[in-house]
Amino acid sequence: MGKGPGVSRNGGRELTNGLNESGSMMASNSTLLRFLPAPVLMAAWLVGCSGDGDNGSGPPPTALAAAQASASGDRQTGAAGHDLTSPLQIVVTRDGAPAQGAVVSWSTSGTGAFMTPAVDTADASGISSSIWHLGSELGARTSQAEVAGGADGSPVAFSATATGDTPTPPPPPPPPPPPANEVTIQLLTSGGNRFEPANVTISVGTTVTWSWVGGFHDVNSASSAFPGSGDPVSAPHTYSQTFSTPGTYKYFCSVHGNAASDGSVSGMSGTIVVQ
């Protein structure tokens, strides 16, 4: 039987065969497709349409980006063992817009060095900040800010120089105003009833305090220029009076002294001159 085109039957399906120039058998595509079952044809069509695409997953989400903020705090110089003056700052964006809520980890190295806070979230402007406390080592130091989950430009690096100089302390607060001048006059009995010292010269605003050391006394103004101490009392006791107006003030003890109608005093008495 000669070799030529022939027809074979297989399970009720007809296949037309032929020979190519090299003698190998090759099926006619159009004929084969006519006899392939529908499920096989659908599978072949899906494979052809899928190609090398992304399987319909859509475009990838936009990635975060991180960089030093305009006021980054980079390249500062500070005293070892102290905080740098300005905080470090980065800005985190997504597709050019602030990435509020992005989690940022701040870290540094060196004995005693740390960042506050160590973990921060970006604010409404996409800014994350942290204060760098330098360690005890002197010279060039480094720190970094890393965005959780990754970001273009992350981690963001920072540098600083630690010196052995202590920061200049703030000026001390001004001293409190000096207390008003004070003068004490004692009221004595031993060795004679008297004021000691009896006569004093003071400046305006000075407070005079009479102090009963012994005996039974009082203090009275000869011209009623000040109220006086009241009824006589026994030691110990004190009475104070501030003199705010320049002038001469005579005083006396009504128990052991006297005041004349002309304002002069005698006995246990004294004079205060206010300038």
Side-chain angles (χ1 to χ4, degrees), residues 85-147:
T85 304
S86 301
L88 307 186
Q89 292 188 335
I90 67 168
V91 58
V92 186
T93 58
R94 186 188 299 276
D95 196 22
Q100 182 178 8
V103 178
V104 180
S105 297
W106 292 87
S107 61
T108 185
S109 61
T111 304
F114 55 87
M115 306 295 296
T116 305
V119 178
D120 186 40
T121 55
D123 62 17
S125 299
I127 298 294
S128 172
S129 303
S130 187
I131 296 176
W132 189 353
H133 181 90
L134 297 175
S136 57
E137 294 93 341
L138 302 181
R141 314 305 306 161
T142 59
S143 66
Q144 66 177 26
E146 185 170 5
V147 179

Side-chain angles (χ1 to χ4, degrees), residues 9-32:
R9 299 185 179 275
N10 183 8
R13 293 176 296 172
E14 261 190 1
L15 296 178
T16 302
N17 299 321
L19 293 174
N20 58 16
E21 292 181 355
S22 62
S24 62
M25 298 293 291
M26 181 175 67
S28 169
N29 288 339
S30 60
T31 304
L32 286 174

Side-chain angles (χ1 to χ4, degrees), residues 50 52-62:
S50 63
D52 295 327
D54 56 7
N55 297 321
S57 61
T62 306

